[in-house]
Amino acid sequence: MTDTPWGIDERLELARGLAGRAGDELMRWFGRTLDVDRKGAVDLVTDADRAAEALIARGLADAFPDDAFLGEETGRSGPADAPWCWVVDPLDGTTNFVHGLPRFAVSIGAWFRGAPALGVVVAPAEGHVYAGATGRGATRDGEPMRVSTTDALGDSLLATGFPYDRRDTVDALLRPLRSAMLSGQGVRRMGAAALDLVDVARGAFDGYWEPRLSPWDVAAGVVLVREAGGVVTGPGGRPFDPARPDIVASNGHIHAALVSALACD
Ligand code: IPD
Ligand code: CA
Ligand code: CA
């Protein structure tokens, strides 16, 4: 049985409130002409990312000043030895957002002693709130959600994403993609990792993989998948590392087959 970390319920409620407010903030910017800065050749950041992260960071620090914080736009802050560390992606799916596609989310996760312990993902343009915590289950708009029951890779809808170093690594990315295209029912590339994990947790996708993500992309989503009955590992079925996420997530039934299809080198 999993031990539930102390203080988890208060933190889950806070994360839910802040993710909702950050989602409202993103909607104020969505559809407007934005100044877009580049963190890399294809890695974008806007005033909306920064405004949402500032709102979340302020709210977390006010309520839990002794917790650590790791945010995509502002990096690490707070005590290095804090048991709780918030891991925040204020806008997951920035490229979609900039192009007017409504597939984007606020993702607030928290690690307890380095392990993902709670997560809230809000998809403001789609109007859904996903929340979960270790030992507490996972919900969509307050209703329990579960992974799919699909048990054959050939019947599985899969999803993936391509990391920002893809211009240098394209051949290595295409090998598992090809294998998944040939062994599954279809492969989607939707552009927001937090929501790809949500879609595994709610049973829309049967499996998802993506190499070289960042902690904030997946901190919330992995909790949702696990609490919805799914499985999260690294490639080859190795243990998942939340600090350097190379992820394979699934409903559990197809996990071994998916891991083996992806290890096609
Ligand atoms: C990105 C999205 C995308 C994934 C990238 C991420 P961002 O996050 O989740 O789906 O393929 O690897 O970096 O930059 O939009 O927060
Ligand atoms: Ca992200
Ligand atoms: Ca982001």
Side-chain angles (χ1 to χ4, degrees):
M1 197 176 138
T2 319
D3 284 339
T4 301
W6 51 261
I8 202 165
D9 294 319
E10 303 89 300
R11 284 176 175 78
L12 184 60
E13 277 325 295
L14 177 69
R16 216 193 292 264
L18 288 173
R21 284 175 48 206
D24 294 343
E25 176 69 26
L26 293 184
M27 291 309 287
R28 277 192 278 279
W29 297 86
F30 185 53
R32 286 167 44 185
T33 305
L34 295 164
D35 287 335
V36 180
D37 297 327
R38 286 170 190 268
K39 296 188 275 188
V42 287
D43 190 358
L44 312 180
V45 61
T46 69
D47 287 337
D49 299 64
R50 297 187 193 100
E53 182 155 322
L55 183 159
I56 295 165
R58 237 184 350 258
L60 296 175
D62 285 350
F64 293 103
D66 296 331
D67 290 357
F69 178 85
L70 172 61
E72 177 171 13
E73 308 309 336
T74 54
R76 276 180 195 280
S77 52
D81 58 352
W84 281 99
C85 179
W86 295 97
V87 187
V88 173
D89 192 337
L91 168 46
D92 185 50
T94 298
T95 306
N96 286 349
F97 186 87
V98 165
H99 287 267
L101 290 171
R103 174 102 174 168
F104 59 86
V106 179
S107 174
I108 302 182
W111 295 339
F112 183 72
R113 301 196 198 290
L118 71 83
V120 176
V121 175
V122 165
E126 296 168 357
H128 294 297
V129 178
Y130 305 90
T134 305
R136 299 283 193 266
T139 58
R140 180 191 203 222
D141 302 330
E143 296 298 319
M145 64 177 173
R146 297 295 294 172
V147 293
S148 67
T149 54
T150 309
D151 60 5
L153 190 56
D155 297 333
S156 294
L157 185 60
L158 306 171
T160 190
F162 307 123
Y164 285 123
D165 64 7
R166 58 183 170 265
R167 291 188 174 177
D168 303 319
T169 58
V170 60
D171 292 335
L173 295 169
L174 290 178
R175 282 191 290 275
L177 176 62
R178 178 179 192 279
S179 174
M181 286 170 69
L182 294 175
S183 44
Q185 200 171 67
V187 180
R188 302 288 180 263
R189 195 294 191 234
M190 307 289 277
L195 290 174
D196 293 332
L197 288 166
V198 156
D199 279 337
V200 174
R202 71 184 186 89
F205 293 148
D206 305 297
Y208 160 70
W209 82 97
E210 185 166 347
R212 294 184 301 288
L213 286 159
S214 295
W216 43 82
D217 296 314
V218 299
V222 297
V223 178
L224 299 177
V225 171
R226 286 173 170 158
E227 288 297 314
V231 170
V232 177
T233 68
R238 290 185 291 281
F240 171 71
D241 179 354
R244 297 168 54 84
D246 252 2
I247 199 165
V248 184
S250 80
N251 65 7
H253 311 295
I254 63 154
H255 206 80
L258 177 60
V259 161
S260 134
L262 298 174
C264 51
D265 288 326

